[in-house]
PDB file of all heavy atoms in Angstrom:
ATOM      1  N   ILE N  24       0.759   8.779   7.215  1.00  0.00           N
ATOM      2  CA  ILE N  24      -0.469   7.987   7.184  1.00  0.00           C
ATOM      3  C   ILE N  24      -1.640   8.841   6.734  1.00  0.00           C
ATOM      4  O   ILE N  24      -2.493   8.416   5.951  1.00  0.00           O
ATOM      5  CB  ILE N  24      -0.748   7.381   8.575  1.00  0.00           C
ATOM      6  CG1 ILE N  24       0.345   6.356   8.919  1.00  0.00           C
ATOM      7  CG2 ILE N  24      -2.123   6.731   8.620  1.00  0.00           C
ATOM      8  CD1 ILE N  24       0.263   5.824  10.335  1.00  0.00           C
ATOM      9  N   VAL N 144     -12.842   0.277 -17.074  1.00  0.00           N
ATOM     10  CA  VAL N 144     -12.231   1.234 -16.154  1.00  0.00           C
ATOM     11  C   VAL N 144     -12.390   2.639 -16.732  1.00  0.00           C
ATOM     12  O   VAL N 144     -11.820   2.958 -17.779  1.00  0.00           O
ATOM     13  CB  VAL N 144     -10.741   0.920 -15.916  1.00  0.00           C
ATOM     14  CG1 VAL N 144     -10.155   1.885 -14.887  1.00  0.00           C
ATOM     15  CG2 VAL N 144     -10.575  -0.524 -15.446  1.00  0.00           C
ATOM     16  N   PRO N 152     -12.865  21.631  -8.657  1.00  0.00           N
ATOM     17  CA  PRO N 152     -12.046  22.218  -9.731  1.00  0.00           C
ATOM     18  C   PRO N 152     -10.565  22.009  -9.458  1.00  0.00           C
ATOM     19  O   PRO N 152     -10.116  22.090  -8.316  1.00  0.00           O
ATOM     20  CB  PRO N 152     -12.428  23.702  -9.693  1.00  0.00           C
ATOM     21  CG  PRO N 152     -12.931  23.937  -8.308  1.00  0.00           C
ATOM     22  CD  PRO N 152     -13.591  22.656  -7.886  1.00  0.00           C
ATOM     23  N   PHE N 177      -9.497  34.477 -12.143  1.00  0.00           N
ATOM     24  CA  PHE N 177      -9.871  33.544 -13.205  1.00  0.00           C
ATOM     25  C   PHE N 177     -10.658  32.375 -12.627  1.00  0.00           C
ATOM     26  O   PHE N 177     -10.355  31.863 -11.550  1.00  0.00           O
ATOM     27  CB  PHE N 177      -8.606  33.027 -13.899  1.00  0.00           C
ATOM     28  CG  PHE N 177      -8.849  32.341 -15.205  1.00  0.00           C
ATOM     29  CD1 PHE N 177      -8.835  33.053 -16.388  1.00  0.00           C
ATOM     30  CD2 PHE N 177      -9.096  30.977 -15.260  1.00  0.00           C
ATOM     31  CE1 PHE N 177      -9.059  32.422 -17.607  1.00  0.00           C
ATOM     32  CE2 PHE N 177      -9.322  30.335 -16.463  1.00  0.00           C
ATOM     33  CZ  PHE N 177      -9.302  31.063 -17.643  1.00  0.00           C
ATOM     34  N   THR N 186     -16.154  16.877 -22.369  1.00  0.00           N
ATOM     35  CA  THR N 186     -16.296  17.043 -23.810  1.00  0.00           C
ATOM     36  C   THR N 186     -17.758  17.258 -24.183  1.00  0.00           C
ATOM     37  O   THR N 186     -18.667  16.753 -23.520  1.00  0.00           O
ATOM     38  CB  THR N 186     -15.762  15.809 -24.556  1.00  0.00           C
ATOM     39  OG1 THR N 186     -16.432  14.632 -24.068  1.00  0.00           O
ATOM     40  CG2 THR N 186     -14.268  15.653 -24.346  1.00  0.00           C
ATOM     41  N   LYS N 189     -20.622  22.993 -23.042  1.00  0.00           N
ATOM     42  CA  LYS N 189     -20.126  24.364 -23.078  1.00  0.00           C
ATOM     43  C   LYS N 189     -19.486  24.737 -21.746  1.00  0.00           C
ATOM     44  O   LYS N 189     -20.008  24.427 -20.678  1.00  0.00           O
ATOM     45  CB  LYS N 189     -21.273  25.317 -23.393  1.00  0.00           C
ATOM     46  CG  LYS N 189     -20.854  26.777 -23.573  1.00  0.00           C
ATOM     47  CD  LYS N 189     -22.071  27.675 -23.755  1.00  0.00           C
ATOM     48  CE  LYS N 189     -22.868  27.281 -24.972  1.00  0.00           C
ATOM     49  NZ  LYS N 189     -24.035  28.167 -25.187  1.00  0.00           N
ATOM     50  N   LEU N 208      -9.014  47.479 -21.171  1.00  0.00           N
ATOM     51  CA  LEU N 208      -7.634  47.114 -21.472  1.00  0.00           C
ATOM     52  C   LEU N 208      -7.633  46.217 -22.704  1.00  0.00           C
ATOM     53  O   LEU N 208      -8.579  45.467 -22.945  1.00  0.00           O
ATOM     54  CB  LEU N 208      -6.997  46.368 -20.300  1.00  0.00           C
ATOM     55  CG  LEU N 208      -6.902  47.094 -18.960  1.00  0.00           C
ATOM     56  CD1 LEU N 208      -6.264  46.182 -17.930  1.00  0.00           C
ATOM     57  CD2 LEU N 208      -6.112  48.380 -19.102  1.00  0.00           C
TER      58      LEU N 208
END
Side-chain angles (χ1 to χ4, degrees):
I24 294 173
V144 183
F177 194 91
T186 55
K189 185 185 300 182
L208 300 179

